[in-house]
Amino acid sequence: MQTIILLLFLVCFAGADDIPDGGADGILDGGCELLQRSIGVSAMHMQLLHTDHVIVFDRTDFGRSNLSLPRGICRHDPTERVLKVDCTAHSAEYDVVMNSFRPLMILTDTWCSSGAVAPNGTLIQTGGWSDGEQAIRLFTPCTDTRCDWSEDALGLSRRRWYASNQILPDGRVIVVGGGSQFNYELLSNGNSKNFFSLHFLQETSDPEENNLYPFVHLNVDGKLFIFANNRAILFDYENQTVVPAPIRPRLLQHR
Ligand SMILES: *[C@@H]1O[C@H](CO)[C@@H](O)[C@H](O)[C@H]1NC(C)=O
Ligand SMILES: *[C@@H]1O[C@H](CO)[C@@H](O)[C@H](O)[C@H]1NC(C)=O
Ligand SMILES: *[C@@H]1O[C@H](CO)[C@@H](O)[C@H](O)[C@H]1NC(C)=O
């Protein structure tokens, strides 16, 4: 987590003239500048939006962050493990151009949630842990400082912890799998109505949970390439069928 924060708040540049001795092969030619010593919130998750603002957020169940919520606001959550009343932020917005940041208020636990950006620029973040496992959280970007998360704690049809999201050509988002979930659901306009079984996720399930955060990519033929554990399929999500042509990726030798 610390590494990610440092990466974000260091600006690195290549080939700058004023940096001598860039290494024998030139690969290290460049430099870094520390922009912020800390923004107070760990970047467990990060998303760059079209406004050149980066949304950073962390799990909520680890106690205080180092960034206070504004105006004395606190979060009251009896389900929290560490702090039932928490006056610190677990999300922040970083403005790349201004090199400034401000606290955002996230209400539900985002630990191992997943997300996608809608065509209109809204970040849709789903699932997580505890009170966040069924949450749908929307962040609609703004150029002033008025926007914040809006959440529906029971928006998803199933609980999703370590699921994967992919934006579809029509703007919907497919949310696939997650712990003990051998199914997927489709979000339309940030809402989910139902879920559908995907047997492949059961077939690739094992005690080590090697099928969590399945790799989901939209293929050029409009099908979804889904890679979980040591197997992959092409999935036609519209007709709910696995494409019969076998794909044989080289098996990962993980034992
Ligand atoms: C908060 O500050 C403490 C003390 O400086 C530091 O150990 C900790 O890593 C900081 N946490 C975050 C999330 O910035
Ligand atoms: C942008 O997309 C999100 C997610 O699909 C939706 O909930 C929201 O209403 C849209 N916003 C506008 C202004 O259309
Ligand atoms: C679903 O089936 C129809 C009819 O065969 C086909 O035109 C369409 O491309 C299929 N959907 C996907 C996502 O492949």
Side-chain angles (χ1 to χ4, degrees):
M1 253 180 252
Q2 291 297 20
T3 319
I4 302 176
I5 302 177
L6 286 176
L7 280 179
L8 171 61
F9 299 105
L10 285 168
V11 160
C12 299
F13 40 92
D17 293 333
D18 54 346
I19 313 261
D21 191 26
D25 50 12
I27 289 173
L28 299 178
D29 224 17
C32 292
E33 189 190 332
L34 183 65
L35 298 177
Q36 296 285 348
R37 192 149 290 283
S38 169
I39 63 160
V41 175
S42 294
M44 178 185 258
H45 299 267
M46 270 199 294
Q47 177 68 51
L48 174 66
L49 300 178
H50 67 76
T51 46
D52 266 353
H53 293 182
V54 181
I55 305 303
V56 166
F57 47 106
D58 190 13
R59 55 195 298 177
T60 58
D61 60 353
F62 248 56
R64 331 193 132 70
S65 75
N66 291 339
L67 184 63
S68 295
L69 287 167
R71 300 181 300 280
I73 299 172
C74 301
R75 187 169 139 260
H76 297 257
D77 187 345
T79 70
E80 272 299 340
R81 288 189 319 155
V82 180
L83 289 178
K84 314 275 181 214
V85 180
D86 184 353
C87 307
T88 66
H90 297 283
S91 177
E93 180 179 42
Y94 178 73
D95 182 327
V96 176
V97 175
M98 303 303 289
N99 185 26
S100 62
F101 59 94
R102 68 181 179 102
L104 298 175
M105 192 164 184
I106 207 150
L107 297 173
T108 59
D109 198 349
T110 61
W111 177 30
C112 290
S113 56
S114 49
V117 178
N120 70 7
T122 293
L123 168 60
I124 308 173
Q125 188 72 19
T126 55
W129 182 249
S130 182
D131 62 353
E133 63 188 15
Q134 257 181 284
I136 298 181
R137 312 172 191 84
L138 303 183
F139 185 91
T140 298
C142 55
T143 46
D144 57 22
T145 55
R146 283 187 218 164
C147 45
D148 209 329
W149 290 99
S150 91
E151 297 182 56
D152 177 356
L154 295 173
L156 289 175
S157 298
R158 306 297 284 175
R159 54 190 286 265
R160 303 275 169 202
W161 185 60
Y162 282 94
S164 298
N165 299 17
Q166 166 70 54
I167 188 91
L168 298 174
D170 62 4
R172 286 181 300 169
V173 176
I174 189 165
V175 188
V176 180
S180 307
Q181 296 299 329
F182 310 126
N183 54 61
Y184 63 95
E185 57 193 283
L186 292 155
L187 306 187
S188 184
N189 242 336
N191 292 300
S192 170
K193 290 203 174 65
N194 206 349
F195 69 96
F196 307 91
S197 291
L198 180 54
H199 193 57
F200 170 73
L201 293 172
Q202 184 136 35
E203 292 163 12
T204 51
S205 161
D206 63 17
E208 292 82 26
E209 301 198 278
N210 281 314
N211 71 348
L212 295 186
Y213 273 152
F215 295 78
V216 180
H217 297 285
L218 186 64
N219 199 31
V220 285
D221 62 0
K223 315 282 192 281
L224 288 171
F225 172 80
I226 305 179
F227 174 40
N229 200 334
N230 57 6
R231 291 178 48 199
I233 53 169
L234 272 185
F235 183 60
D236 174 346
Y237 61 92
E238 274 174 347
N239 304 295
Q240 295 179 38
T241 48
V242 173
V243 179
I247 321 175
R248 300 186 194 283
R250 282 194 189 279
L251 292 187
L252 298 177
Q253 301 299 325
H254 60 284
R255 291 259 163 74

